[in-house]
Amino acid sequence: MFAEHKPSWILTGTVVACIMALYVPGVQRTVPGGDSGELITTACELGVAHPPGYPIFTLLAHLGMKLLPLSPAHSVNLVNSLLGAAACGFLCLTVCRLVGPGPGAVLAGGVFAMSKLSWQWSMVAEVFTLNNLFVGLLFFLTVSFHCAETPRQRWRTAQWGALCCGLGLCNQHTLVLYVLAIIPWVIYRLHSLTVSP
């Protein structure tokens, strides 16, 4: 899969690296306001935050604290900026898959990265960037499903999409708005492509 889409992966990697170069210097080094303090504390203790608990965010943040030789707050904030850049990368990769690598893909990832809320939530410990990552991943998997050439590729992509939906719903319930649109379409396409001659 990598070889046939190598230019798309290279372009996406470049976009993510550029976004990280912009995000990392602006990351908060201390505990910001809002839910960030609770999320950082939860990651330190491997506890449970306010509902829905954010288990994936907590585990990723805890891993970041173990791997990065920084203060807990700075580490979790930095992990969040990595998640934000990855979300932009999946948006870029989705456009690459749809229309090929080019300026449109760079623009999609870059404009999303620079939007006020994406930038704001990528600087502090919040769950919104992980939600953006799951949405970007769902977009990429949906386009990959649409572009799949064989039933085996469609089924494999649908299975990855199901995993992504489950993990994403553990993080933020608003993902259900995307899931309610994508799942019926995927089921319809799987059924119609299976029974068509």
Side-chain angles (χ1 to χ4, degrees), residues 87-172:
C88 299
F90 273 113
L91 188 57
C92 177
L93 195 57
T94 300
V95 175
C96 285
R97 187 82 164 102
L98 274 173
V99 296
V106 173
L107 192 63
V111 169
F112 185 75
M114 298 302 157
S115 68
K116 182 181 185 286
L117 290 176
S118 292
W119 184 282
Q120 177 183 345
W121 297 125
S122 293
M123 299 297 118
V124 297
E126 277 292 350
V127 296
F128 305 121
T129 52
L130 183 57
N131 188 56
N132 291 343
L133 176 61
F134 281 119
V135 170
L137 181 56
L138 272 178
F139 284 170
F140 173 68
L141 290 170
T142 302
V143 169
S144 296
F145 177 86
H146 176 70
C147 296
E149 297 173 357
T150 66
R152 180 177 169 84
Q153 288 175 338
R154 280 190 290 277
W155 273 106
R156 180 170 289 161
T157 305
Q159 289 169 340
W160 280 110
L163 176 66
C164 179
C165 288
L167 292 175
L169 287 169
C170 289
N171 180 62
Q172 189 82 11

Side-chain angles (χ1 to χ4, degrees), residues 10 12 21 27 30 32 47 56 69 105 112 133 156 160 163 171 181 183 191:
I10 291 171
T12 299
V27 168
T30 58
I56 297 167
F112 185 75
L133 176 61
R156 180 170 289 161
W160 280 110
L163 176 66
N171 180 62
I183 289 179
H191 178 70

Side-chain angles (χ1 to χ4, degrees), residues 41 65 78 80-81 113 115 117 157-158 172 177 184 186 192:
T41 303
M65 285 190 293
L78 189 59
N80 213 48
S81 71
S115 68
L117 290 176
T157 305
Q172 189 82 11
L177 299 172
V186 167
S192 65

